[in-house]
Amino acid sequence: MRVELARTAGFCYGVRRAVQLAEEAAGQGRPCVMLGPIIHNRDEISRLEAMGVGLTASMEEIPEGSAVLIRSHGEGRAVHEALAARGCTVIDATCPNVSRIHGIVSQAEEEGRQVLIIGTPTHPEVAAIAGWCARPVVLEGAEALSNWLDEAPERREMPLTMVSQTTSTRFIWDSCVEKAKKECTNLKIFDTICNATCKRQSEAQALAARSDAVVVIGGRESSNTKRLAELCGALCPMVVWIERAAELEPSTLCRKASIGITAGASTPEWIIKEVYDKMSDENIEIEESFAEMLEKSIKTLHTGEKVTGVVTGITPTEIYVDLGTKHAGYIPVSELTDDPAVKVEDLVKVGDEIETYVMRVNDQEGVVTLSKKRLDTVKSWEDIEQAREERTTVEGVVTEENKGGVVVNIKGVRVFVPASQTGLPRDTPMSQLVKQKVRLRITEVNRARKRVVGSIRAVEAEERAAKAAEVWENIEEGKHYTGTVKSLTSYGAFVDIGGVDGMVHISELSWSRIKHPSEVVSVGDTVDVYVISFDKEKKKISLGMKDRTQNPWEIFTGKYNVGDVANVRIVKLMTFGAFAEIVPGVDGLIHISQIADHRIDKPGDVLSEGQMVDVKIIDIDYEHEKVSLSIRALLEEPAAEDEDVNEE
C-alpha cells in the first residue's frame, strides 16, 4: 500500500501566524481572550484555552482593558471601533490576505462604488469583509450574480468592485468574472482567492486523481476543508472526511493500493500525525515514515534558490516573508531594491506575494535571509540577453556620464552607451541625459565580464524611419501637422513633422514682415503647420504657418478708409520712401515727399526702422492691394486750421 501526504497539508501561513500570536499572548501572563475561535479547529482552540487564552463569542463578556485576539477570518470595522472604545489591546491575527480585502472594499466605498463579495454569506470571513462596507452585496456564485443583475438592469451600469472569499474555488470565481465582464460596463475586479488555497486545492485534486482513497482531515465548520472534500470526491471513488483519528475506521481502507492524505488549513501537524499513528497501529503498511512525508510537505531551502512567499510584516529595517516552510524568512531593506529613493511601502504591502532569492539559511535558528534585488538582477540579465537575441527595445534610466558615453540602469544592470550611440548631436553635453528615461537596443552582452553595450540612436533611427514612411504615405497638400522646430536659417525654419523635416520659408512664418525666423519661433518650439507642396522623389516638403483664414487685406479694408489716421510701425527704409506696417500682413508706402513738411535728402533723416508714427491714409488701390500713407498731411492740417481761424 502506498500512502502519500499532500505537500501543503495542514496549517497555511495565515493560520500558523494566528496560532503563534495566540501562543505568544498566552506566554505573557496577562488576561487574553479570543473573540470567537481564531481558527476553524475545535481541538486546537481547546489546546490554546488550556494555555490560558480565553474564548468568548460576545464582546460584552470581555473585561475592559483586556488583550483581545482577532481571529484569522477578521472582524468588521465596528468591532475594532468597539474594542478601542473599551480600552482593549487588539492582537490582530487577521490573515494578511483577508486584511488586503478589507482595504480594497473600504477604498471602493470611498470612491462611491458598489462592493460585490463572491462567497458564502454566513462564513465569518465574508461577514468580516462585509463589515468594512456600508452596503455590501454577497453572492454565492455566477447564478446569484446573474439574478442580482436581472433584478435591476441599471445595476449593469453601476460602478462595481468585485472581490472573492479567499477560500472560494477557482471555478466559482472565474465563472463570476466571466459573467460580470460580459454584462457590466464599469467594473473593477480583484482576484483575492488565496494562492495557498489554490495550491492546496490543485494538489488535492491531483492526489485524488491518482489515489484509490483520500483521507481529508479538518474541522466540519472549516470552509476550505469542505472544499477539499468536495474536490477530491469528484475525482476519487472514496473520500473519508475526519476531524480526529478516532473517527477513522482503518478497515474501510483495506485492499486500497494507494491512499492520499490531505488536511485543511486549520489542521495542526499533531492531528495529522495522530491519524498516521492510528493507521500504523492498524498495521497499514506505509512506504515511508510520517517524518519523511512531513519533511516532503515542508520544502527544504538552499542558498541560491528562488522561492515565493507572502509578506507578513514590514519594519523600517526588514520585510518578513512567510515561505510556507519551517523557516522564518526576512528581506533586509538593503536587499529589496537598488533604488535609494524608493519607499519600502511603495514596493511591498502585507499580504503581497513576492518572489525572492535565498541568500543564507540558518537551520539552527530557523531563519532564512532573502533578497529581492539579487533575484531581480538575475532576471534582468536573462531579460537583457533575450533582448539582445530578439532585438527588442528596452527601457532604462541614465545614471551617469562615463568616459566616452553614458551608463543606463536597466533593472539593476549597467548598460554602457557610447557617445556615438546616444543620439545627441556632436558637441552636445551628454550630461543632459542624466536622470532621463531612455529607450535603447542591446548590441553586446558579455555576462562573464558583466559588460553590456546598448544604442539609443538605433531605436531613434528605426522609429524615425517608421514615422517618416508613414508621413510620406499619407502626405497631401493642405494637411495639418503638429511639429517641432529643429533648426533656423536666415531664410526659414526646419520643422520635424514626425520623422520628416519640412521647411517653413520666412515669408510663410508670419503675415508681418520679419527679418529673421527667430522673431517668430525658437528651436524646440511645438508649432502647427500645413503642407503647401511636396516632392516625394526629392524628399522635400514646403510648409506654412500663417493662418490662411485670416486675410490681412480684408482685415485692413474692414477697419480703415481713405482719410483715416493710423498708428503704424516703420518696417523698411528705401531711397524713395519708407514702408510701414498698418496691420500684420499689410504695408503702406510713405513716399519721401510725404514724410515731412519740408525737403529731406533721405527717409533716414527723419525715420528709423521699428519707429511708431501716426499717418494719414491718402489712397487705397483695391485692385493691386496697395496703400499710400502720409505724415506730411497730418503736419499740414493744423497749419490749415490756423489759417482759417485768422481769416475769420
Side-chain angles (χ1 to χ4, degrees):
M1 180 179 295
R2 177 178 61 84
V3 175
E4 184 180 356
L5 176 66
R7 292 176 63 84
T8 52
F11 279 176
C12 67
Y13 76 90
V15 170
R16 187 185 301 112
R17 173 176 173 270
V19 171
Q20 288 174 346
L21 288 172
E23 291 173 342
E24 290 171 5
Q28 292 176 357
R30 60 176 296 188
C32 181
V33 62
M34 294 177 279
L35 182 56
I38 61 168
I39 63 171
H40 274 160
N41 189 285
R42 289 176 294 181
D43 296 292
E44 186 68 6
I45 295 301
S46 297
R47 184 182 73 84
L48 293 173
E49 285 184 292
M51 294 177 65
V53 182
L55 173 63
T56 180
S58 172
M59 193 178 306
E60 288 70 25
E61 298 176 5
I62 300 174
E64 292 190 7
S66 297
V68 180
L69 271 160
I70 299 295
R71 55 188 172 178
S72 59
H73 293 307
E75 293 288 355
R77 181 186 285 113
V79 172
H80 283 266
E81 292 174 348
L83 290 173
R86 294 174 67 87
C88 296
T89 300
V90 173
I91 302 173
D92 194 351
T94 305
C95 172
N97 283 339
V98 178
S99 294
R100 173 174 172 261
I101 305 176
H102 295 171
I104 291 171
V105 299
S106 296
Q107 179 66 30
E109 288 231 337
E110 289 178 10
E111 296 172 355
R113 306 182 67 84
Q114 173 64 59
V115 173
L116 302 183
I117 306 170
I118 306 302
T120 305
T122 56
H123 193 278
E125 178 191 313
V126 175
I129 295 169
W132 289 88
C133 313
R135 45 185 179 80
V137 173
V138 180
L139 304 167
E140 291 200 64
E143 184 177 351
L145 172 61
S146 181
N147 293 337
W148 183 78
L149 292 172
D150 290 340
E151 287 173 5
E154 65 273 12
R155 289 173 176 169
R156 291 173 169 82
E157 310 297 324
M158 292 172 62
L160 304 174
T161 292
M162 191 164 76
V163 299
S164 172
Q165 179 180 340
T166 59
T167 53
S168 178
T169 64
R170 179 58 60 184
F171 173 78
I172 292 174
W173 172 248
D174 287 346
S175 60
C176 289
V177 169
E178 182 180 1
K179 179 72 175 176
K181 282 185 175 180
K182 286 182 179 179
E183 300 200 24
C184 302
T185 60
N186 188 351
L187 178 68
K188 286 186 178 181
I189 297 172
F190 293 89
D191 185 348
T192 53
I193 294 180
C194 174
N195 288 326
T197 298
C198 290
K199 187 176 181 182
R200 183 188 304 271
Q201 291 175 352
S202 62
E203 285 187 4
Q205 287 177 298
L207 182 64
R210 59 178 179 265
S211 301
D212 296 322
V214 174
V215 177
V216 180
I217 311 169
R220 296 290 176 184
E221 69 278 15
S222 170
S223 174
N224 74 82
T225 304
K226 180 182 178 182
R227 299 283 190 199
L228 289 177
E230 292 171 347
L231 292 170
C232 291
L235 296 168
C236 183
M238 176 181 287
V239 174
V240 181
W241 182 1
I242 60 173
E243 289 189 334
R244 294 290 298 272
E247 300 174 27
L248 179 65
E249 181 53 56
S251 61
T252 61
L253 302 176
C254 290
R255 293 184 294 278
K256 300 297 182 184
S258 59
I259 300 173
I261 300 176
T262 187
S266 296
T267 305
E269 293 172 4
W270 62 270
I271 289 183
I272 300 174
K273 186 177 186 305
E274 182 184 73
V275 173
Y276 159 76
D277 290 340
K278 176 72 174 290
M279 295 173 73
S280 297
D281 290 343
E282 296 295 332
N283 297 318
I284 294 178
E285 294 183 7
I286 299 176
E287 291 183 348
E288 52 188 346
S289 70
F290 175 79
E292 290 171 336
M293 289 192 295
L294 199 58
E295 185 64 27
K296 283 188 176 181
S297 73
I298 300 177
K299 182 176 171 60
T300 301
L301 301 177
H302 303 282
T303 300
E305 192 175 358
K306 296 179 185 178
V307 292
T308 300
V310 176
V311 177
T312 58
I314 299 173
T315 72
T317 58
E318 53 198 19
I319 297 93
Y320 296 102
V321 180
D322 189 308
L323 301 171
T325 71
K326 59 187 178 183
H327 299 91
Y330 76 94
I331 307 171
V333 170
S334 60
E335 290 296 329
L336 187 64
T337 177
D338 270 327
D339 190 346
V342 175
K343 296 180 180 178
V344 173
E345 55 268 27
D346 292 336
L347 294 178
V348 293
K349 293 178 175 58
V350 172
D352 285 355
E353 186 174 88
I354 186 170
E355 190 174 14
T356 62
Y357 171 93
V358 177
M359 291 174 58
R360 184 168 54 257
V361 179
N362 188 328
D363 286 319
Q364 289 185 342
E365 297 182 6
V367 174
V368 179
T369 306
L370 307 169
S371 173
K372 184 176 184 298
K373 75 176 186 181
R374 296 195 189 188
L375 180 60
D376 290 342
T377 300
V378 171
K379 285 185 173 182
S380 296
W381 274 100
E382 294 172 355
D383 292 342
I384 289 288
E385 290 176 333
Q386 184 177 357
R388 167 68 181 89
E389 293 172 3
E390 299 178 359
R391 294 183 56 80
T392 54
T393 300
V394 293
E395 283 190 355
V397 176
V398 179
T399 57
E400 62 182 278
E401 179 183 1
N402 208 339
K403 183 179 180 181
V406 295
V407 175
V408 181
N409 184 299
I410 300 178
K411 299 179 181 178
V413 178
R414 288 166 56 89
V415 179
F416 175 67
V417 178
S420 61
Q421 298 301 315
T422 60
L424 296 175
R426 189 183 296 274
D427 298 328
T428 301
M430 289 184 292
S431 57
Q432 70 180 42
L433 285 176
V434 176
K435 296 184 180 179
Q436 299 297 312
K437 182 179 286 187
V438 294
R439 304 172 72 241
L440 62 157
R441 180 68 46 77
I442 303 301
T443 58
E444 179 187 337
V445 178
N446 188 326
R447 195 163 181 175
R449 296 178 58 192
K450 294 186 177 180
R451 173 180 168 81
V452 184
V453 180
S455 172
I456 300 171
R457 179 183 175 185
V459 175
E460 293 178 346
E462 288 183 11
E463 292 177 345
R464 186 174 177 83
K467 289 179 180 179
E470 184 179 353
V471 169
W472 285 114
E473 183 178 351
N474 300 305
I475 196 169
E476 57 187 33
E477 290 184 6
K479 188 170 184 177
H480 284 254
Y481 292 92
T482 297
T484 303
V485 178
K486 303 299 289 185
S487 63
L488 302 178
T489 67
S490 60
Y491 51 85
F494 285 92
V495 177
D496 182 352
I497 58 173
V500 178
D501 286 352
M503 193 194 78
V504 184
H505 191 269
I506 189 169
S507 62
E508 294 295 334
L509 283 169
S510 171
W511 286 109
S512 299
R513 186 190 297 269
I514 60 174
K515 291 183 176 181
H516 193 273
S518 59
E519 296 178 36
V520 179
V521 294
S522 301
V523 173
D525 285 355
T526 299
V527 294
D528 292 322
V529 294
Y530 52 87
V531 178
I532 295 176
S533 63
F534 60 91
D535 187 330
K536 287 188 176 181
E537 291 184 2
K538 295 182 179 180
K539 301 295 182 184
K540 290 185 178 181
I541 303 175
S542 177
L543 303 172
M545 270 182 56
K546 295 190 300 190
D547 187 352
R548 298 281 181 184
T549 64
Q550 298 295 316
N551 189 310
W553 182 257
E554 292 179 359
I555 294 173
F556 165 72
T557 56
K559 185 176 181 180
Y560 294 103
N561 294 299
V562 173
D564 287 348
V565 176
N567 186 251
V568 300
R569 180 171 63 89
I570 306 300
V571 294
K572 192 170 185 63
L573 298 177
M574 308 293 289
T575 57
F576 54 84
F579 286 98
E581 182 183 68
I582 308 170
V583 296
V586 176
D587 294 347
L589 174 64
I590 311 172
H591 191 270
I592 191 170
S593 63
Q594 297 297 319
I595 290 177
D597 56 1
H598 57 276
R599 180 180 176 81
I600 60 174
D601 293 329
K602 57 183 183 299
D605 293 340
V606 178
L607 301 174
S608 59
E609 291 185 6
Q611 182 181 354
M612 300 298 295
V613 295
D614 288 335
V615 297
K616 186 174 184 177
I617 300 172
I618 58 176
D619 184 52
I620 300 176
D621 183 344
Y622 290 94
E623 182 178 353
H624 299 96
E625 297 185 357
K626 292 183 178 181
V627 183
S628 296
L629 306 173
S630 175
I631 299 173
R632 177 180 174 181
L634 293 179
L635 297 173
E636 291 176 343
E637 283 181 1
E641 291 175 1
D642 290 343
E643 289 177 3
D644 292 341
V645 172
N646 292 334
E647 288 177 1
E648 291 177 2

